[in-house]
Amino acid sequence: MTSKFTELAIDCADPDGLARFWCSVLGYEVRDADEGTVTIGSPMAPEGKNRPGPVPPTLTFAKVPERKTVKNRLHIDVNPTDREQAEEVRRLLGLGARYADLGQGDVSWVVLVDPEGNEFCVLASRCP
């Protein structure tokens, strides 16, 4: 028996704002909102424990008092599904992302940060 990757928890200062950003990036919707916590998920993923096969993970944003201070040890990679990488980067910049230089050099992906400074990559050639 194995486990499924079903949720990624992200500490942040503004759960509502970060949830809105990532809903726009991923086409997700708010699944649950509590005081200081917002969970978003794919509208295509069924609810419940008996979900067969791979499922898109939910993202849970939890308010914490600390600010981000160092590079993430874990980050999200996104793949544009209906446009080229450059078009997707422009769209994400319009949503509030910013470019990040982590010393990655000349690579095929683009490193951005979300509105709270969490790094993520926009891949060029891998399609889901």
Side-chain angles (χ1 to χ4, degrees):
M1 185 151 256
T2 63
S3 294
K4 292 180 186 176
F5 172 42
T6 58
E7 183 172 344
L8 178 63
I10 301 169
D11 291 347
C12 61
D14 178 12
D16 293 314
L18 211 50
R20 279 192 306 275
F21 173 81
W22 282 102
C23 277
S24 295
V25 171
L26 300 171
Y28 275 22
E29 59 190 22
V30 172
R31 290 286 182 92
D32 189 32
D34 236 338
E35 189 174 320
T37 305
V38 179
T39 299
I40 67 172
S42 171
M44 305 302 285
E47 293 286 339
K49 193 173 186 173
N50 298 318
R51 298 181 286 182
V55 296
T58 60
L59 302 179
T60 297
F61 302 96
K63 186 176 179 87
V64 297
E66 309 85 31
R67 294 206 114 347
K68 181 180 180 296
T69 58
V70 297
K71 179 183 174 291
N72 295 2
R73 301 265 325 247
L74 176 73
H75 69 265
I76 296 171
D77 288 345
V78 298
N79 293 279
T81 58
D82 62 352
R83 64 195 79 195
E84 296 298 319
Q85 180 191 42
E87 293 175 88
E88 182 66 355
V89 167
R90 281 192 296 277
R91 183 181 80 86
L92 299 176
L93 292 170
L95 293 173
R98 299 179 316 278
Y99 284 106
D101 184 355
L102 305 174
Q104 63 267 21
D106 186 23
V107 293
S108 63
W109 59 87
V110 177
V111 181
L112 300 176
V113 294
D114 69 18
E116 291 206 13
N118 299 301
E119 299 90 9
F120 68 100
C121 296
V122 181
L123 304 182
S125 59
R126 279 194 273 177
C127 292

